[in-house]
Amino acid sequence: MRHGKKNNHLSRQTAHRKSMLANMACSLIEHKRINTTVAKAKALKQFVEPLITKSKADTTHNRRIVFSYLRNKYAVTDLFRDVAAKVGDRPGGYTRIIKVGNRLGDNADMAMIELVDFNELYNGGKKEVKKAKSRRGGKAKKVEEATEAPEVNAEPTAEAAE
């Protein structure tokens, strides 16, 4: 019986499995989308989502923890710079698994795993802008309009003409 055993061993020993998941995670971070088997995609999802959550807080400690898993400094840099900026407001669910059929050679179930915020087809090509919720109704709008100063048209100086 497999009570309480969460991770799929993928018919590999521990070191090989960790290396394979690290390499797949680096490829996912670099290319934003990879094709693999369904079992590996599910294992990769469990492996990479906590790392993406860690990347939302850019501290030296978090970078070292993520590097201990990925073992690739370029992937860590890309994760903390590009990926974290896109998923900063998302509370979880950073990856999407889409089944794409069976592989020709051995008929294995194949899937495409991708980072959710990097797919322009599902997002409609634009990023959703969430409005900040205010409990005061229209007060924030009135204060914002009052603080805007009217534009003053000044004559160009001699430095600007040169």
Side-chain angles (χ1 to χ4, degrees), residues 110-130:
M110 296 298 288
M112 177 178 65
I113 182 168
E114 64 182 3
L115 295 174
V116 171
D117 291 319
F118 287 90
N119 189 340
E120 288 81 20
L121 294 176
Y122 288 131
N123 295 349
K126 60 185 178 232
K127 186 177 178 184
E128 293 181 19
V129 178
K130 293 185 178 180

Side-chain angles (χ1 to χ4, degrees), residues 27-47:
S27 296
L28 179 66
I29 291 166
E30 180 184 350
H31 300 292
K32 313 303 187 240
R33 174 183 304 153
I34 59 172
N35 289 326
T36 183
T37 62
V38 173
K40 287 180 188 174
K42 288 179 180 178
L44 179 61
K45 183 172 186 144
Q46 286 183 336
F47 182 83

Side-chain angles (χ1 to χ4, degrees), residues 87-106:
V87 300
D89 58 340
R90 182 177 287 275
Y94 311 111
T95 58
R96 175 185 298 128
I97 296 175
I98 301 169
K99 295 182 182 177
V100 294
N102 296 339
R103 188 162 48 198
L104 286 177
D106 58 356

Side-chain angles (χ1 to χ4, degrees), residues 51-125:
L51 301 181
I52 295 173
T53 302
K54 288 248 182 249
S55 73
K56 290 163 90 172
D58 190 5
T59 62
T60 306
H61 183 61
N62 284 346
R63 280 183 179 263
R64 286 178 177 165
I65 289 172
V66 171
F67 181 76
S68 72
Y69 283 93
L70 295 181
R71 298 181 293 234
N72 184 341
K73 65 181 179 181
Y74 302 110
V76 172
T77 303
D78 196 21
L79 177 66
F80 277 84
R81 188 187 319 125
D82 300 333
V83 177
K86 281 250 189 169
V87 300
D89 58 340
R90 182 177 287 275
Y94 311 111
T95 58
R96 175 185 298 128
I97 296 175
I98 301 169
K99 295 182 182 177
V100 294
N102 296 339
R103 188 162 48 198
L104 286 177
D106 58 356
N107 208 30
D109 288 333
M110 296 298 288
M112 177 178 65
I113 182 168
E114 64 182 3
L115 295 174
V116 171
D117 291 319
F118 287 90
N119 189 340
E120 288 81 20
L121 294 176
Y122 288 131
N123 295 349

